[in-house]
Amino acid sequence: MGNEINFEENSMQKISMKITALVLSMGLAACGDTVAEQAVLGGAAGVGVAAVAGGSILTGAAVGAAGNVIACQIGDTICR
């Protein structure tokens, strides 16, 4: 029975860390003046989140870069 509680606590800690990383990444991502700058900034934020959350660095960079470029180019953001 003690192992079940420990497992639940570890799961909650992992979820909490991932949510914290996601929230912090929102402040890291920012628009650049060019698409290349936007990709680099988003990619850097994605790498940081992946490192903290224990995910794939390469996937984090790709998702962060794509997400920031899309947000800056298409979305209604404060970047413009």
Side-chain angles (χ1 to χ4, degrees):
M1 187 163 211
N3 288 337
E4 291 174 8
I5 293 172
N6 191 23
F7 176 74
E8 289 176 12
E9 288 176 3
N10 287 337
S11 295
M12 290 301 294
Q13 287 174 344
K14 288 179 182 178
I15 291 170
S16 177
M17 186 168 46
K18 289 180 181 181
I19 291 171
T20 301
L22 179 63
V23 170
L24 291 174
S25 72
M26 291 178 189
L28 294 175
C31 286
D33 292 330
T34 66
V35 173
E37 288 177 359
Q38 294 163 1
V40 169
L41 292 170
V47 165
V49 171
V52 170
S56 165
I57 301 295
L58 185 58
T59 301
V63 170
N68 199 43
V69 169
I70 290 169
C72 293
Q73 294 293 313
I74 297 173
D76 293 330
T77 64
I78 58 173
C79 299
R80 296 180 182 213

